[in-house]
Amino acid sequence: MTDPAPPSPLPGPVLVVGCGLIGTSVALALTRAGAQVHLADALRQHAEVAEGLGAGTTRDPERVGLVVVAVPPDHVAESVAEALSAWPDAVVTDVASVKLPPLEALVDADVDGLDRYVGSHPMAGSERSGPMAASANLFEGRAWAVTPHQRARTAAVEAVRSLAVSSGATLVEMPAAEHDAAVARVSHLPHLMSVLAASQLDGSPADHLALAGQGLRDVTRIAGSDPGLWRQILYANRAPLTDLLRGVRDDLDRLLGALDSRPALEQVLDRGVAGTALIPGKHGEERSAALVPVYVQVPDRPGELGRLLRDTGESDVNIEDLRIDHDLGRPVGLAEISVRTERADHLVEALTERGWTAHL
Amino acid sequence: MTDPAPPSPLPGPVLVVGCGLIGTSVALALTRAGAQVHLADALRQHAEVAEGLGAGTTRDPERVGLVVVAVPPDHVAESVAEALSAWPDAVVTDVASVKLPPLEALVDADVDGLDRYVGSHPMAGSERSGPMAASANLFEGRAWAVTPHQRARTAAVEAVRSLAVSSGATLVEMPAAEHDAAVARVSHLPHLMSVLAASQLDGSPADHLALAGQGLRDVTRIAGSDPGLWRQILYANRAPLTDLLRGVRDDLDRLLGALDSRPALEQVLDRGVAGTALIPGKHGEERSAALVPVYVQVPDRPGELGRLLRDTGESDVNIEDLRIDHDLGRPVGLAEISVRTERADHLVEALTERGWTAHL
């Protein structure tokens, strides 16, 4: 699945069409990698923001070796077709979350130059959107799926492999249909489960919600993402999603039957535990497995957070992630600072010495 | 819901029955608060570990003012009944996650001294369990539900309120049935949705799972929790859970019908977004009407967050809340600083002047 071979050089100049979070991040990463990058967006303002961030130039290119189409899912096929006809010598890829529907649309439309198109999908994102949220490092350590089709030229496939590797990502290759089945299971279905969980809060009294903990926040976090974007992604991938959702409904019926039986209920829970054990980076992968949360009580006064973060920095412990559990009717917030396991005890000691109430 | 009145003094000595994570943490917090604490556990070894941590003494008490029952859910009613008969002058509480079933069991058994029992539930935990994971600070800034019943003495209710406040928690009071409905919605149902999402990974090829991102990890995190404990919690609260799960099944059927319709699909997603907005400490606080987020790129180096918060403080803008959106494997985090709406533009200007990449 992962390509160990060194990538062929990136064909340039590169034209990035669509300067949102992903497009601008690709442009930033490729510019840093030494490529000449041109920026285009239906909203010229977006392209200019990206240019201001150093992602490339908004000047029209004279020639283009690679076009990266980073537009909303509903417009991918149309935008790829335009790029193929506008730049007859260029390889064209897109970075959309669903791969088979745009490929099928291009095949059905019998577009010229289909052999120069190879779809791809970087597995990176953010709750934020738009060029301001972009980062040249967005793809570091992330998977980037490349989905060749039968009519694709080898040179085109190699160019898109090179795009993924030049952006700092890890290459994963599979056919478009298999990719769509995979993301339906590991991304789109979990998103819908998060939405269903969040939807049940509708009409809940405020003092019931006062009992909410971190578990609810984690399960429902992605349900807060942009519905306009997700509507397009889920609609495009509705075929494999429908099968998975029917499976969930069957499991839900089994669960309803199991609630009256301790052993049956524990079987349901065991299957969930087994599922989490399969996730890379949850138990296996070194980075996230190496992190633990340190909890610190933060008085609700101006400057307290700054003091905490300063003290943490001065204790030479790097903050991998930080979250404030800040609730109504509480005099204090609870900061959850994720740090490397081997530094956690040191941080608790250092913060305690500085008068903080901290614990693992 | 929250009790503003100053708590009456904690009746002592305190006997903690069950020295796991919660029991030992209660004992540590009360010992720190100056109470005399006795420790008991079916596994004497657990009580001795707790004693070694400074949580109290394993000596048998001569008299007891308050018994805190912190045993697994299946054994709560039996253990509370034993405590009521063993210590005829003591107030007895438990800290289990489900409150109505043990109360009903005690009423059905017509135990003597039911007026001295008041259930409670601290909304705190850890992914770790056992006395070694305990902390005197576990309850700081957390909600602690106290669930009085009609036959409870006022003095018993006040003793348990005092327990919650002495442990550093924020008091939330509601009847047992209402508590159970609340946690079914904000804790137990989300747990089952996480389990269902994780269960769908069963049998997924490894290179499909290589496409997993942070969203899947968040949604499925709590599905990895101890099935033995959760089986007891979910079984005890199966009545309200069954109703909620039927509602989820209806929503799931609606969702299956909505997948072929962009507008219907977006309605489903909008309801999820609305649900997340209700969660305290996430997006939903009353105060947040007057708050807007300012987004700032933060290089992942020690001290950078401290510098950002210091620069924010020097710009005379108070931070109401802060969150880091940080993808593992991405060296740049995005800080989301919530500030009063009228100060947001000033903060963006001030941070930009100091070299930060910031936007509203």
Side-chain angles (χ1 to χ4, degrees):
Chain A
M1 101 199 182
T2 300
D3 177 28
S8 53
L10 188 73
V14 177
L15 170 62
V16 173
V17 178
C19 297
L21 168 69
I22 300 297
T24 304
S25 295
V26 170
L28 285 166
L30 295 183
T31 296
R32 187 176 60 182
Q36 183 190 333
V37 178
H38 293 264
L39 305 161
D41 194 293
L43 287 171
R44 180 164 178 83
Q45 185 188 10
H46 272 191
E48 284 164 355
V49 170
E51 184 174 40
L53 293 172
T57 173
T58 53
R59 272 187 294 99
D60 292 333
E62 282 158 19
R63 57 180 196 82
V64 169
L66 173 67
V67 182
V68 179
V69 171
V71 302
D74 283 355
H75 304 289
V76 168
E78 159 200 5
S79 185
V80 166
E82 284 170 12
L84 287 170
S85 98
W87 305 102
D89 302 325
V91 170
V92 178
T93 188
D94 72 299
V95 294
S97 310
V98 185
K99 309 280 27 131
L100 191 58
L103 176 61
E104 286 178 337
L106 294 163
V107 169
D108 294 348
D110 193 24
V111 297
D112 290 337
L114 187 60
D115 59 332
R116 291 181 285 118
Y117 166 72
V118 175
S120 75
H121 178 209
M123 307 307 297
S126 158
E127 276 167 87
R128 291 295 305 152
S129 59
M132 286 298 291
S135 164
N137 305 311
L138 187 65
F139 310 105
E140 298 286 349
R142 317 291 285 184
W144 189 315
V146 174
T147 58
H149 58 93
Q150 289 179 338
R151 288 163 58 181
R153 281 186 213 168
T154 307
V157 177
E158 281 177 1
V160 180
R161 287 178 183 152
S162 171
L163 164 67
V165 175
S166 303
S167 302
T170 303
L171 191 55
V172 178
E173 248 174 74
M174 58 182 74
E178 192 180 338
H179 165 276
D180 290 358
V183 292
R185 189 186 295 271
V186 303
S187 171
H188 304 169
L189 181 68
H191 189 90
L192 286 172
M193 299 301 283
S194 179
V195 167
L196 285 171
S199 299
Q200 308 312 312
L201 301 177
D202 199 351
S204 184
D207 57 346
H208 288 201
L209 291 163
L211 301 183
Q214 197 53 51
L216 178 67
R217 295 186 176 92
D218 287 345
V219 171
T220 59
R221 183 182 64 82
I222 56 177
S225 312
D226 177 10
L229 172 64
W230 275 93
R231 186 261 299 155
Q232 296 180 47
I233 294 169
L234 299 169
Y235 182 81
N237 211 24
R238 62 192 180 281
L241 259 179
T242 300
D243 295 339
L244 286 167
L245 280 172
R246 292 206 177 103
V248 171
R249 188 175 53 184
D250 295 342
D251 289 346
L252 189 52
D253 288 335
R254 268 190 289 277
L255 172 55
L256 274 160
L259 276 175
D260 288 328
S261 152
R262 289 180 170 85
L265 193 49
E266 189 151 359
Q267 279 180 14
V268 170
L269 298 176
D270 286 341
R271 190 167 166 230
V273 173
T276 62
L278 296 171
I279 303 172
K282 178 113 194 193
H283 302 286
E285 186 216 52
E286 107 288 336
R287 273 205 75 157
S288 59
L291 300 181
V292 292
V294 170
Y295 298 94
V296 190
Q297 186 184 347
V298 183
D300 188 13
R301 288 193 302 270
E304 285 299 297
L305 269 170
R307 191 167 64 83
L308 170 61
L309 276 295
R310 195 159 56 247
D311 289 350
T312 303
E314 284 166 5
S315 69
D316 291 326
V317 176
N318 191 19
I319 296 174
E320 297 291 342
D321 199 354
L322 183 142
R323 187 154 41 183
I324 304 286
D325 179 357
H326 191 95
D327 209 339
L328 275 179
R330 294 185 190 174
V332 296
L334 193 69
E336 181 181 333
I337 304 177
S338 296
V339 299
R340 297 204 162 270
T341 306
E342 65 272 17
R343 303 293 288 150
D345 289 331
H346 171 74
L347 178 59
V348 171
E349 286 166 25
L351 291 178
T352 304
E353 279 171 15
R354 290 169 163 83
W356 294 97
T357 302
H359 69 97
L360 272 170
Chain B
M1 104 198 182
T2 301
D3 177 29
S8 52
L10 188 73
V14 177
L15 171 62
V16 172
V17 179
C19 297
L21 168 69
I22 301 296
T24 304
S25 296
V26 171
L28 286 166
L30 295 183
T31 297
R32 186 177 60 183
Q36 182 189 333
V37 179
H38 294 264
L39 305 161
D41 195 293
L43 288 170
R44 177 163 181 85
Q45 182 187 12
H46 272 190
E48 284 164 353
V49 170
E51 183 174 41
L53 293 171
T57 173
T58 54
R59 272 187 292 100
D60 292 334
E62 282 158 24
R63 54 179 198 85
V64 170
L66 173 66
V67 182
V68 178
V69 171
V71 302
D74 283 354
H75 305 287
V76 169
E78 159 200 4
S79 185
V80 167
E82 284 170 11
L84 286 170
S85 99
W87 305 102
D89 302 325
V91 171
V92 177
T93 189
D94 73 298
V95 293
S97 309
V98 184
K99 308 276 37 125
L100 192 57
L103 177 61
E104 285 178 337
L106 293 164
V107 170
D108 294 348
D110 193 23
V111 296
D112 289 337
L114 187 60
D115 60 334
R116 293 182 283 116
Y117 166 72
V118 174
S120 74
H121 179 207
M123 307 306 296
S126 160
E127 276 156 78
R128 300 184 297 168
S129 61
M132 289 305 292
S135 165
N137 304 318
L138 188 66
F139 309 105
E140 298 285 357
R142 304 284 196 188
W144 189 315
V146 174
T147 58
H149 58 93
Q150 290 179 338
R151 290 163 56 182
R153 281 186 212 167
T154 307
V157 177
E158 280 178 0
V160 180
R161 285 179 184 152
S162 172
L163 165 67
V165 175
S166 303
S167 301
T170 301
L171 191 55
V172 178
E173 234 168 272
M174 60 181 73
E178 192 179 340
H179 165 276
D180 290 358
V183 292
R185 190 185 292 270
V186 303
S187 171
H188 305 169
L189 181 69
H191 190 90
L192 286 172
M193 299 301 284
S194 180
V195 168
L196 284 171
S199 298
Q200 308 313 312
L201 301 176
D202 198 353
S204 184
D207 58 346
H208 288 199
L209 290 164
L211 302 183
Q214 194 53 46
L216 178 66
R217 294 184 181 98
D218 286 344
V219 171
T220 59
R221 183 182 64 82
I222 55 177
S225 313
D226 177 10
L229 172 64
W230 275 92
R231 186 262 298 155
Q232 296 180 48
I233 294 171
L234 300 169
Y235 182 81
N237 211 24
R238 62 193 181 280
L241 261 178
T242 300
D243 295 339
L244 285 167
L245 281 171
R246 291 206 178 105
V248 170
R249 189 175 54 184
D250 295 343
D251 289 347
L252 189 51
D253 288 335
R254 267 188 290 277
L255 173 54
L256 275 159
L259 276 174
D260 288 328
S261 152
R262 289 181 171 85
L265 193 48
E266 190 150 359
Q267 280 179 13
V268 170
L269 298 175
D270 286 341
R271 187 164 168 236
V273 172
T276 63
L278 295 171
I279 302 172
K282 188 162 185 184
H283 313 282
E285 296 181 25
E286 283 162 13
R287 304 184 308 156
S288 71
L291 300 180
V292 291
V294 169
Y295 298 94
V296 190
Q297 286 194 18
V298 183
D300 187 17
R301 291 192 298 269
E304 283 299 300
L305 274 167
R307 188 166 67 82
L308 170 60
L309 275 292
R310 196 161 53 246
D311 289 350
T312 301
E314 284 166 6
S315 68
D316 293 326
V317 177
N318 186 24
I319 296 171
E320 299 292 343
D321 202 350
L322 179 139
R323 171 164 195 283
I324 304 286
D325 176 6
H326 183 104
D327 285 334
L328 287 174
R330 176 185 174 188
V332 172
L334 192 71
E336 179 179 330
I337 304 176
S338 296
V339 298
R340 299 240 157 231
T341 308
E342 64 274 17
R343 303 292 289 150
D345 289 330
H346 171 74
L347 178 59
V348 170
E349 286 166 24
L351 290 178
T352 305
E353 280 171 16
R354 289 168 163 85
W356 295 96
T357 302
H359 68 103
L360 273 172

